[in-house]
Amino acid sequence: MSHGHTEAHGEHVPGVPEESRPPHGSRIDAYVDRYAMRARGMIASEVRALFAVASRPEVVSLAGGMPYVTALPLDVVGELVADLVARRGPVALQYGSGQGDAHLREQICEVMRLEGIDAHADDVVVTVGSQQALDLITRIFIDPGDVVLAEGPSYVGALGTFSAYQATVVHVPMDEYGLIPEALAETITGLAATGRRIKFLYTIPNYQNPAGVTLTAARRAEILRICQRANLLIIEDNPYGLLGFDGDPLPAIRASDADGVVYLGSFSKTLAPGFRVGWALAPHAVREKLVLAMESAVLSHSSFAQLAVGQYLATQPWREQIKTFRELYRERRDALLTSLEALMPPGCTWTRPGGGFFVWMTLPEGLDSKAILPRAVNARVAFVPGTGFYAGDEGSQHMRLSYCYPEPSRIREGVRRLAGVIREELELRDTFGSVTNRGRSGVDTPGPNLA
Ligand code: PMP
């Protein structure tokens, strides 16, 4: 029984050699009866197995949310890093503080000012990407069975973290204007009636991953009011806020409330994820817990990475670079939207993001994105099935399409391939009925680029 997951289903993943298949899934695990309870929640995500396939050059990947770091002046970044080691090596290569480099924390406050946040560097904790901030926050607040509210759909990496700490995620619906305040209020009331303990609301207000929608200013105020009334902490996760295509960014929710919001930011999309520098801005008491949790997790973030980011912000035109990214992603968003418009069969609908990386597509009735995926990969295009973005069984009629990484011409080609597959699926549906159980997916084992 040393076969990989795909074999366990008796099918081969099209175009994936045996040796490149993920070494997880249905292998017998000799330690299965020894894992802690929390390890049961550590289940690979939708995207993991897919990545082995989608990263092949012949596949147009509309799957992973990888920032286009090639647009950075890489030679300049290289010089900056070399200079850093030469001039400040003894500091850059030494342990640092659990809270993060003090100067970088001040620079982070300057970045947050662009979204109306007036913060003090003392309340910032530098983390290993905002992903680690999510992990630390969950570690601090969640006991097994506690409820976390999150948009439906929501970021797969956050859902994985919540699951690892045995939280119960309750989704709150969105529409094109973001999280629906009335639905939030109803969910809070409904849960209160059952005596369940809600620990926080997790929300991605800007260019949401995966839905691509943005919470309007009026709704931000309303959601804040609802949470304040319910004494509910908000975790505002905002890695895409500065990547809007039209006008200035909306003020963050945190801009209106310093006590009821933990704000998470990241340099992954405005600079590069390889530095792994993100942060949490938290109310004072929470910040202290975060530092302790940070120290127990990693002692301190990499001084080298923090100083490199600090040096970049101090010496490079970073606002201009963000503009460059925006223009680039806008062009790719346009390429995706215009080709969806031109090529997708009737019955498909999708969101129109004003920034960020993602479009959320809804398939015609009776089509199942997970069942379609192996055929799409066979046609050399990849996406993420919608089911990965829910804690439960929802999402099968949806898919996430990322436009951040492929060139516009490749995006058009990817959509052409995908539209062909969906048309075929519609023909099959009309001949044989629903596709849900017609053939098992070999790539349905979940897993990383959780981006
Ligand atoms: N939150 C959201 C909504 C994301 O999309 C991502 C990554 N794509 C993260 C957090 C984590 O990003 P990082 O750890 O690179 O800052």
Side-chain angles (χ1 to χ4, degrees):
M1 279 295 292
S2 62
H3 299 314
H5 169 87
T6 51
E7 293 259 307
H9 284 306
E11 278 204 9
H12 290 267
V13 185
V16 187
E18 181 76 37
E19 66 280 6
S20 70
R21 290 181 204 168
H24 57 68
S26 62
R27 282 164 188 259
I28 296 283
D29 183 345
Y31 296 96
V32 75
D33 60 344
R34 274 171 270 182
Y35 291 128
M37 287 297 286
R38 78 183 73 85
R40 294 190 187 177
M42 296 175 188
I43 301 164
S45 91
E46 294 285 334
V47 206
R48 185 180 303 272
L50 217 166
F51 240 65
V53 187
S55 58
R56 306 178 129 230
E58 67 275 20
V59 176
V60 176
S61 178
L62 304 172
M66 292 194 301
Y68 194 69
V69 292
T70 313
L72 285 167
L74 294 176
D75 49 347
V76 174
V77 176
E79 283 164 24
L80 183 149
V81 166
D83 182 61
L84 174 65
V85 176
R87 284 193 311 108
R88 300 185 63 200
V91 180
L93 302 179
Q94 190 52 272
Y95 287 116
S97 97
Q99 189 170 358
D101 178 68
H103 185 232
L104 177 62
R105 287 188 280 113
E106 276 165 21
Q107 292 170 304
I108 285 171
C109 291
E110 204 183 313
V111 173
M112 290 192 290
R113 217 161 284 138
L114 297 176
E115 296 187 273
I117 296 174
D118 184 16
H120 197 280
D122 280 355
D123 294 325
V124 174
V125 181
V126 182
T127 54
V128 182
S130 49
Q131 187 67 37
Q132 193 200 17
L134 272 169
D135 184 272
L136 300 180
I137 285 291
T138 313
R139 185 186 305 195
I140 289 171
F141 281 101
I142 296 298
D143 285 317
D146 284 345
V147 173
V148 169
L149 302 184
E151 284 131 1
S154 187
Y155 167 49
V156 62
L159 295 180
T161 300
F162 300 151
S163 165
Y165 286 97
Q166 299 166 277
T168 300
V169 174
V170 174
H171 288 294
V172 182
M174 280 184 290
D175 60 19
E176 61 189 301
Y177 306 111
L179 190 70
I180 302 169
E182 296 75 23
L184 173 65
E186 271 170 34
T187 307
I188 293 173
T189 311
L191 284 163
T194 65
R196 300 296 299 271
R197 183 102 198 262
I198 311 175
K199 284 293 177 74
F200 54 76
L201 165 69
Y202 169 70
T203 179
I204 309 158
N206 294 313
Y207 323 120
Q208 206 250 11
N209 182 1
V213 299
T214 294
L215 192 66
T216 60
R219 281 195 182 179
R220 283 170 203 239
E222 227 176 315
I223 280 165
L224 183 58
R225 259 198 312 275
I226 291 168
C227 290
Q228 284 169 339
R229 227 178 293 137
N231 198 19
L232 188 62
L233 177 68
I234 298 176
I235 309 298
E236 178 178 27
D237 187 10
N238 188 31
Y240 305 101
L242 296 181
L243 292 180
F245 305 144
D246 316 292
D248 292 332
L250 284 173
I253 303 174
R254 167 60 178 75
S256 311
D257 185 352
D259 297 323
V261 181
V262 174
Y263 174 96
L264 310 185
S266 176
F267 288 108
S268 288
K269 279 80 189 185
T270 50
L271 172 53
F275 288 113
R276 304 307 299 126
V277 176
W279 68 91
L281 169 67
H284 212 69
V286 177
R287 188 269 288 163
E288 285 180 359
K289 292 272 185 217
L290 276 173
V291 174
L292 294 172
M294 179 73 188
E295 286 170 355
S296 94
V298 294
L299 291 184
S300 70
H301 194 303
S302 153
S303 304
F304 176 69
Q306 292 182 74
L307 294 190
V309 170
Q311 193 69 3
Y312 171 83
L313 294 172
T315 63
Q316 300 303 311
W318 57 272
R319 291 179 181 81
E320 290 305 309
Q321 181 60 41
I322 293 175
K323 271 191 205 150
T324 304
F325 278 131
R326 274 188 211 145
E327 291 308 313
L328 185 123
Y329 295 133
R330 182 216 302 271
E331 192 190 355
R332 289 170 189 206
R333 187 256 338 237
D334 290 345
L336 182 61
L337 291 182
T338 48
S339 35
L340 288 173
E341 203 68 60
L343 298 166
M344 278 298 155
C348 292
T349 57
W350 51 85
T351 56
R352 290 173 173 71
F357 288 2
F358 309 110
V359 164
W360 184 245
M361 187 156 91
T362 305
L363 295 169
E365 208 58 48
L367 263 57
D368 179 329
S369 62
K370 209 148 130 185
I372 291 174
L373 183 59
R375 290 182 267 275
V377 170
N378 222 9
R380 292 170 295 129
V381 60
F383 57 82
V384 185
T387 42
F389 303 99
Y390 289 92
D393 302 330
E394 297 157 80
S396 62
Q397 216 184 322
H398 306 274
M399 59 176 68
R400 189 191 75 178
L401 302 175
S402 312
Y403 51 81
C404 44
Y405 197 73
E407 307 274 345
S409 61
R410 294 276 289 167
I411 291 174
R412 284 188 280 272
E413 176 57 22
V415 172
R416 194 187 62 74
R417 293 173 188 175
L418 183 58
V421 172
I422 293 174
R423 279 178 201 285
E424 281 170 22
E425 289 298 318
L426 283 171
E427 279 167 29
L428 287 169
R429 179 199 68 179
D430 294 342
T431 314
F432 300 110
S434 164
V435 291
T436 313
N437 294 313
R438 260 197 350 254
R440 293 296 302 266
S441 157
V443 268
D444 65 355
T445 311
N449 180 359
L450 304 174

